[in-house]
Amino acid sequence: MSASSKVTIAFCHGLLADGSCFNKVIPALQADGHEVISVQYGLDSYEEDLATVKRTLNRVGGPVLLVGHSYGGAVVTGAGMDDRVVGLVYIAAVAPDAGETVQDQLNKYPTDIFGHLEMADNRIWLRSSGTELLAGDLPEAEQKLVWATQFAPNAELIGQQKLTAEQVAWRTKPSWYLLATEDRTVHPDLQRWVSDRMGANVTEVASSHVPMLSQPGVVLEVIRKAAATVESR
């Protein structure tokens, strides 16, 4: 890739969210000259979420830097095998290896938020009491907005991964990881374990589970570093 080329940046959201959770960082990246898109998948099944990423990549130029938050880390791990993807950025994210599910990883390092979830209509919903555990470093009004706009995933979604070794993108593609040290949703020790295992370039930030909302400047710094690296190759 020539030094003057700009990668496309594609965001992959987590559970209880949609693509608008990246709204605080998208305009700055667009101003940098990147084509940016935030994938809107339905959290109905892992297979369909991966398919939605691929359909979305068909609508933008390549090469692509995939950025995944939380469950979105599992999405970029699978979708990142696309030939157009040149790098992966994980934000407080899971990152399954062959044969692992998101549930497997979360079970290794449980957090208190799981006591604030409930199932209805085969969907997982966050009780209002859990908002502080998800986004406790946001102002109260923003925490209420996070809860009010939650997107409930299929209750079986986080048990559906189980990729083969040939389907795990971080095994072969450069990775960056933003580790949220104050995260009460995806345990910081889980983040440390997966980022170390993948050999990622790690940046730590004293943040809740949603640094793209509470500390967007740090998120931008990591994405820009990753973009500059893949663009120079």
Side-chain angles (χ1 to χ4, degrees), residues 108-162:
K108 286 179 181 290
Y109 299 93
T111 58
D112 292 340
I113 198 168
F114 294 99
H116 298 266
L117 301 174
E118 60 184 339
M119 188 171 75
D121 301 317
N122 201 41
R123 294 275 167 171
I124 300 296
W125 300 84
L126 178 69
R127 299 191 185 104
S128 59
S129 60
T131 310
E132 183 179 359
L133 300 177
L134 179 69
D137 55 351
L138 293 179
E140 183 179 359
E142 289 190 41
Q143 289 189 44
K144 289 181 176 179
L145 183 60
V146 167
W147 184 83
T149 57
Q150 66 176 288
F151 194 91
N154 185 299
E156 300 173 357
L157 178 62
I158 60 175
Q160 295 178 347
Q161 288 66 54
K162 297 196 174 181

Side-chain angles (χ1 to χ4, degrees), residues 92 177-184 186-188 191 203-211:
Y177 198 104
L178 182 59
L179 196 161
T181 62
E182 306 300 317
D183 198 329
R184 300 167 71 187
V186 174
H187 201 293
Q191 298 180 43
T203 300
E204 295 194 3
V205 59
S207 167
S208 72
H209 188 54
V210 291

Side-chain angles (χ1 to χ4, degrees), residues 10-176:
F11 287 99
C12 296
H13 62 82
L15 306 178
L16 303 170
D18 68 5
S20 66
C21 68
F22 299 105
N23 283 357
K24 289 187 178 182
V25 297
I26 289 173
L29 294 169
Q30 290 173 326
D32 287 347
H34 295 283
E35 185 173 20
V36 184
I37 196 160
S38 196
V39 185
Q40 297 280 19
Y41 41 79
L43 303 175
D44 293 312
S45 77
Y46 183 61
E47 182 178 359
E48 180 56 29
D49 289 348
L50 295 184
T52 302
V53 174
K54 290 184 179 294
R55 287 195 298 269
T56 302
L57 295 187
N58 291 338
R59 307 302 304 164
V60 297
V64 177
L65 181 68
L66 281 183
V67 182
H69 171 248
S70 192
Y71 160 80
V75 176
V76 304
T77 294
M81 291 306 300
D82 190 291
D83 290 340
R84 293 167 289 188
V85 177
V86 294
L88 313 168
V89 178
Y90 294 81
I91 302 172
V94 295
D97 199 356
E100 293 178 346
T101 67
V102 172
Q103 185 71 68
D104 291 336
Q105 294 203 327
L106 296 175
N107 287 346
K108 286 179 181 290
Y109 299 93
T111 58
D112 292 340
I113 198 168
F114 294 99
H116 298 266
L117 301 174
E118 60 184 339
M119 188 171 75
D121 301 317
N122 201 41
R123 294 275 167 171
I124 300 296
W125 300 84
L126 178 69
R127 299 191 185 104
S128 59
S129 60
T131 310
E132 183 179 359
L133 300 177
L134 179 69
D137 55 351
L138 293 179
E140 183 179 359
E142 289 190 41
Q143 289 189 44
K144 289 181 176 179
L145 183 60
V146 167
W147 184 83
T149 57
Q150 66 176 288
F151 194 91
N154 185 299
E156 300 173 357
L157 178 62
I158 60 175
Q160 295 178 347
Q161 288 66 54
K162 297 196 174 181
L163 300 167
T164 66
E166 294 75 22
Q167 295 172 317
V168 176
W170 55 258
R171 284 175 169 244
T172 58
K173 300 197 177 180
S175 302
W176 288 260

